[in-house]
Amino acid sequence: MLGAEAIALGAIDEGISGVYAYPGTPSTEITEFIQKSKEATEIKIRSQWSVNEKTAYEAALGMSYAGKRSMVCMKHVGLNVAADAFINSAITGINGGLVLVVADDPSMHSSQNEQDTRFYGKFSFLPLLEPSNQQEAYDCVRYGFNLSEQVKLPVIIRITTRLSHSRSIVLRQTMTEQNEYRAETDQSKWILLPHNARKRYSALLDIQKKLVAISEASPYNRIEKGEGKNGIIACGLAYNYVKETLNAYNLNYPILKISHYPLPDSLLREFFATCDNILIAEEGYPIYEELLHGYFKNKKLKGRLDGSLPRTGELTPDIIARALGLKPNESAKTPEIVVGRPPELCTGCSHRDLFDAMNAILNEQSEKHVFSDIGCYALGALPPYNTINTCVDMGASITMAKGASDAGMHPSIAVIGDSTFTHSGITGLLDAVNDKNAVTIIISDNGTTAMTGGQKSGGTGRLKEICIGLGVDPKHLRSIVPLKKDFEKNVKILREEFNYQGVSVILACRECIQTLKQKK
Ligand SMILES: Cc1ncc(C[n+]2csc(CCOP(=O)(O)OP(=O)(O)O)c2C)c(N)n1
């Protein structure tokens, strides 16, 4: 199974009643597995996509309030969107078990940043599990639901791209029944008015010692004895790379494997007592290296901070080998004839015809700025189009165009996809309508969430009504079909709306070529 699939199966087997998620690489396959699972359908596990990560998290919290087990999945940047609900859920606690799975993307294979979710674990004071392989991914989810109900807190599971997207054999255990409906009886913990919130926050701090004790006894944290005074702390997936390297070079260094946080204090003390030089291998930020720095005097700590390991990007067995002073395996290097190629828009993609029509106008101008968003259309930043100038976070195109318009830019243009619009563009459009901004918002509606593989989009078939409901003047709510044969007509409509001194929305609707192909 893929690591993502192992997590999904673990959740089905541990009695979830629902999974809530918004797609995002490398987390998407978790929910897709549950959606396609016959077993999950038979036992009525709820698994439709949510409109964004915040709505997903809150729905999962509601299911937990009602006493059932729920899982919520997202990519790392999705947790920024859900952070308000997430951080506060550490204060409320849970009723039915709640597991949050976050898939990080070190090296940014398909993301805007490589933030490390373990930081959110520390920030929220919640337990976090970081499986090292596919079997542990399956086991950790099951363990996570029990831990969540034991300590009455959400539990985070952090995975990274390589674990999510690589396969291994997973042994399955017997299934657990879903929880009965039993709505929360202790209301005070859920009403975060200051007098309750202060008590709940103190309770969260008080339980930290217990969380450390659980982590010290966790099946996912252990010392593996070895020879000599050079030890390795291996966190999550990095444990795999460390083991692979030590096996390849026939070495037997002592290892402290950590896959369960908060840090297991007593194991660290025991390990540091026997080692003088310690390499800390973390797949992500040097979070624990920073925490442990100077903690044990007279011991040398090496890792990403002192340059023994690269400060950014994924680890590999070769990188670990180099940090241990070994010569990496040259035969495993990518041959030079293999060159990196950026992705590009599919042949026949509707975004292509939209960019051609936009460029016909924009290329006449000395200065051109197009605020864009996250989705396949972000590839319009690349040649031959070079149409868009920004791609920051989901929804930012509309609000950035609004701010630039406030500063005097005209035309101030936003390009956003249909799924991104419903994810977090709607509120920005309402801001622009309320402020009567001169902005042109092009919703490039291909009827799907294409970039992540064609999942259902939240507002398909209803975008016009949504825009009218938000107060867009119907005279400036135009529709175009981005096709070569409609080029002249589309240029004319775009030009008219670029010149308009108010909010205009252009719906550029044509089905994604990939989903169309699949249907045919
Ligand atoms: C907060 C956040 N959640 C999820 C993602 C992953 N993601 C990237 S683009 C995208 C949606 C793309 O759909 P749409 O806007 O309809 O554009 P399309 O790819 O179909 O052109 C998603 C879910 C992300 N980058 N950031």
Side-chain angles (χ1 to χ4, degrees), residues 125 152 227 293 305 340 390:
F125 299 102
K152 290 277 167 207
E227 290 154 11
H293 212 75
L305 287 178
T390 71

Side-chain angles (χ1 to χ4, degrees), residues 22-25 53 75 77-78 81 110 112 351 374-377 394 416-421 423 444 446 448-452 457:
Y22 182 71
T25 312
E53 293 86 353
K75 71 181 286 165
V77 284
V81 177
S110 42
Q112 314 97 285
H351 300 319
I374 323 255
C376 289
Y377 49 93
M394 290 190 78
I416 187 166
D418 50 301
S419 183
T420 305
F421 177 68
H423 177 284
S444 194
N446 55 9
T448 189
T449 316
M451 181 152 239
T452 44
S457 181

Side-chain angles (χ1 to χ4, degrees), residues 93-147:
I94 54 95
N95 184 20
L98 193 158
V99 168
L100 161 68
V101 183
V102 187
D104 291 1
D105 188 19
S107 284
M108 300 179 241
H109 295 286
S110 42
S111 308
Q112 314 97 285
N113 73 33
E114 61 171 31
Q115 69 186 54
D116 188 325
T117 296
R118 295 175 307 156
F119 176 80
Y120 267 114
K122 185 160 166 48
F123 187 34
S124 62
F125 299 102
L126 291 175
L128 183 144
L129 304 168
E130 196 191 5
S132 302
N133 56 44
Q134 285 72 8
Q135 182 66 55
E136 268 193 9
Y138 174 86
D139 297 337
C140 270
V141 179
R142 304 201 64 165
Y143 177 86
F145 276 106
N146 291 303
L147 176 61

Side-chain angles (χ1 to χ4, degrees), residues 5-30:
E5 294 169 344
I7 285 178
L9 188 64
I12 294 171
D13 288 353
E14 198 49 47
I16 55 162
S17 298
V19 59
Y20 297 89
Y22 182 71
T25 312
S27 71
T28 315
E29 293 83 357
I30 304 170

